[in-house]
Amino acid sequence: MKNGRISFRVIKEELARRIAERVWAPGTLIPGEEVLAREFGAARATVNRALQELARSGLVERRRKSGTRVALHPLREARFVIPIVGNEITARGAEYRYRLLSRTIDRPPEVIAARLGLSLSELVLHVRCLHLADGAPYQFEDRWINLTAVPAARQESFETIGPNEWLVTHAPFSDAEFTFMAAAANEEEARLLDVSAGAPLFVGERITWLKEKPITLVRMAHPGTHRMVTRL
Amino acid sequence: MKNGRISFRVIKEELARRIAERVWAPGTLIPGEEVLAREFGAARATVNRALQELARSGLVERRRKSGTRVALHPLREARFVIPIVGNEITARGAEYRYRLLSRTIDRPPEVIAARLGLSLSELVLHVRCLHLADGAPYQFEDRWINLTAVPAARQESFETIGPNEWLVTHAPFSDAEFTFMAAAANEEEARLLDVSAGAPLFVGERITWLKEKPITLVRMAHPGTHRMVTRL
DNA sequence: GAGTGGTCTAGACCACTCA
DNA sequence: GAGTGGTCTAGACCACTCC
């Protein structure tokens, strides 16, 4: 740590404590940055950083002129790391295997074109594959790649490398949208994931863009036993 | 906006652009803060802030002495806002209703005691309730409250106010763990959520603590049509 | 117009890590 | 030991918002 200087972490912790212990009740206007800076013997910038982090985590709400007040509903946010499926599996100490199921180039179905914002005449690469952990089905990946945006994907067979890993190094993105949901396994998913038809699946969907230009849409289905965990 | 001064946002965008457009390929060591500060005509602190934010979103990895390099696997993180169910519903323009199903005080079942780290002799308050959007079942909430930590809950009937809302204003927490999963609806859940038995449910579970002291465990089950969406 | 947060600067020192 | 990021300070000016 440090000598006499006050860290923004210390200030943040202390302010969080006062909020948690109701020294400052929800809705309370807390002292301004100047005042707190004097109280803690720190520069205003230091207090500012502490308060900004508290605001980012939803504990306080800040408005110019009005000041900073304790949030009425601590609408905290949770942060999930979006892992590469292979890493996720090996990180658990399991053996990772990959199997390509199909790879075709065609015009997109209407649903897919609509989701990606493509015209029906643009070509897309459709890849379906399976990720296994210690031999057991872990994730069924169903992916559409916009060949207009990523023409190089045409040359890749995806027989040994998964589309995710390939895209990471060949097609950067600037924006992404994630959706998580539950769904019932259809016949094929049931067979591939080794569950019974109609069984619940945990499904993640991701669309990525590079500056408005759609790159890829992927649907990742896990058996219902899958857990997505985070802590804050 | 600004006059001539360079915002950390501008720097951040520009650096992100260089990474996205492969000016700096994954794994590349990018120039140090001093150099970038000179290039952009900004203070080092400004460049530092831009780089820190890029690091937080996973685009670059920073290490003292080594420097900053473009991440090999842009393991970005997604941020989900954890809403209060009532707000979530009214935010969609739907009418929110709440119904208490049961409220009992007892010793915890073993599973619950284990999850919360309680002894089997400590009393817990078990509340089950339903949240409705425009009259349709939206979420079935099954909650356990640690009465040792929140004795005041004894006095609350939860007949008109949901446990979540009550806890927000009466029992602060410092830590939380979220788990999301898919599950098949049992008979009761099916009836309550108006789906067929065995239908997929989207389930969120949350445990909260106030400094190591367990506060509450809640299981929130939604019909399979529920979507959890985030964008980055 | 005035009050509060938002950001930038220039300089300093520290802490971590690599060689 | 030395290089790079991490943080703090003191001061300044700006931007947003309320009155």
Side-chain angles (χ1 to χ4, degrees):
Chain A
M1 273 282 117
K2 233 20 229 338
N3 45 0
R5 283 156 89 142
I6 297 290
S7 158
F8 73 93
R9 286 170 214 284
V10 174
I11 298 179
K12 186 176 151 189
E13 289 310 310
E14 170 59 14
L15 298 179
R17 189 192 66 76
R18 292 184 192 173
I19 291 169
E21 297 184 0
R22 293 284 184 277
V23 178
W24 292 325
T28 309
L29 198 59
I30 76 177
E33 298 188 347
E34 293 269 13
V35 179
L36 290 172
R38 245 178 289 122
E39 180 197 329
F40 286 107
R44 186 167 76 91
T46 308
V47 172
N48 179 275
R49 178 156 183 193
L51 283 169
Q52 289 215 4
E53 296 210 354
L54 290 177
R56 205 154 37 80
S57 71
L59 237 61
V60 300
E61 286 164 5
R62 321 194 70 197
R63 282 244 287 278
R64 282 158 157 150
K65 165 77 178 175
S66 319
T68 302
R69 59 180 65 243
V70 180
L72 285 173
H73 293 292
L75 280 200
R76 310 249 208 134
E77 59 176 35
R79 295 160 37 177
F80 294 90
V81 186
I82 310 299
I84 309 277
V85 62
N87 299 351
E88 190 178 18
I89 289 172
T90 54
R92 295 180 181 203
E95 180 219 6
Y96 171 60
R97 270 195 293 139
Y98 164 77
R99 203 166 89 223
L100 176 65
L101 299 171
S102 73
R103 177 192 183 283
T104 57
I105 293 181
D106 210 338
R107 305 187 191 292
E110 272 187 53
V111 201
I112 304 300
R115 294 292 307 274
L116 280 171
L118 292 176
S119 80
L120 290 169
S121 60
E122 285 178 283
L123 288 181
V124 292
L125 175 60
H126 185 198
V127 179
R128 293 159 64 258
C129 54
L130 199 59
H131 303 274
L132 303 102
D134 279 343
Y138 182 82
Q139 181 193 97
F140 168 47
E141 173 177 350
D142 191 344
R143 183 184 290 271
W144 303 82
I145 301 174
N146 175 10
L147 284 175
T148 310
V150 196
R154 240 178 224 283
Q155 322 302 327
E156 175 58 46
S157 72
F158 295 114
E159 262 161 24
T160 58
I161 184 178
N164 201 344
E165 244 180 304
W166 186 86
L167 283 165
V168 157
T169 50
H170 292 77
F173 64 90
S174 57
D175 299 275
E177 183 184 283
F178 296 87
T179 306
F180 293 95
M181 65 195 111
N186 62 27
E187 289 290 341
E188 184 189 35
E189 290 167 333
R191 185 167 42 76
L192 289 169
L193 292 172
D194 200 18
V195 298
S196 43
L201 301 180
F202 185 81
V203 178
E205 225 179 68
R206 171 172 33 178
I207 306 182
T208 55
W209 293 267
L210 177 58
K211 306 185 175 219
E212 319 294 314
K213 204 168 52 178
I215 303 291
T216 184
L217 159 63
V218 59
R219 183 175 188 275
M220 299 161 285
H222 295 88
T225 51
H226 189 75
R227 297 282 178 277
M228 186 168 81
V229 183
T230 193
R231 189 151 179 154
L232 58 87
Chain B
M1 270 285 121
K2 256 303 151 42
N3 43 2
R5 283 155 88 144
I6 297 291
S7 157
F8 74 94
R9 286 172 215 282
V10 173
I11 299 179
K12 187 176 152 191
E13 290 309 311
E14 169 60 12
L15 297 179
R17 189 192 64 76
R18 292 185 191 174
I19 291 168
E21 299 185 357
R22 293 283 185 279
V23 178
W24 292 327
T28 308
L29 197 61
I30 76 177
E33 297 187 349
E34 292 269 13
V35 179
L36 290 173
R38 245 178 290 123
E39 180 197 328
F40 286 107
R44 186 167 77 91
T46 307
V47 172
N48 179 276
R49 179 155 182 196
L51 283 169
Q52 288 215 5
E53 295 210 353
L54 290 177
R56 203 156 38 79
S57 70
L59 236 60
V60 300
E61 287 164 3
R62 320 193 70 195
R63 281 244 287 281
R64 282 156 153 147
K65 166 74 178 174
S66 320
T68 301
R69 59 179 66 242
V70 180
L72 286 174
H73 293 292
L75 278 202
R76 312 252 208 132
E77 57 175 36
R79 295 163 28 190
F80 292 91
V81 187
I82 310 298
I84 310 278
V85 61
N87 299 351
E88 191 178 17
I89 289 171
T90 53
R92 294 180 183 204
E95 181 218 9
Y96 172 59
R97 271 197 293 141
Y98 163 78
R99 203 166 90 224
L100 177 66
L101 299 171
S102 74
R103 177 192 182 284
T104 57
I105 293 180
D106 210 338
R107 303 187 193 292
E110 272 187 52
V111 201
I112 304 299
R115 295 289 307 272
L116 280 171
L118 292 175
S119 80
L120 290 169
S121 60
E122 286 179 281
L123 288 180
V124 291
L125 175 60
H126 184 197
V127 179
R128 292 159 64 259
C129 55
L130 199 60
H131 303 274
L132 304 101
D134 280 342
Y138 182 82
Q139 179 192 97
F140 167 47
E141 173 177 349
D142 190 345
R143 183 185 291 270
W144 304 81
I145 300 174
N146 175 11
L147 284 175
T148 310
V150 196
R154 240 178 226 284
Q155 321 302 329
E156 174 59 45
S157 71
F158 295 113
E159 262 160 25
T160 57
I161 184 176
N164 201 344
E165 244 180 303
W166 185 86
L167 283 165
V168 158
T169 50
H170 292 76
F173 65 89
S174 55
D175 299 275
E177 182 184 282
F178 296 88
T179 306
F180 293 95
M181 66 196 108
N186 63 27
E187 289 290 342
E188 184 189 34
E189 290 167 333
R191 184 167 42 76
L192 290 169
L193 291 173
D194 198 20
V195 298
S196 43
L201 301 179
F202 185 80
V203 178
E205 224 179 69
R206 170 173 35 180
I207 306 181
T208 55
W209 294 267
L210 178 57
K211 305 182 177 222
E212 320 293 312
K213 205 168 53 179
I215 302 292
T216 184
L217 160 63
V218 59
R219 183 174 187 277
M220 298 160 286
H222 295 86
T225 50
H226 189 74
R227 297 282 179 278
M228 185 168 83
V229 183
T230 193
R231 186 147 183 157
L232 58 87

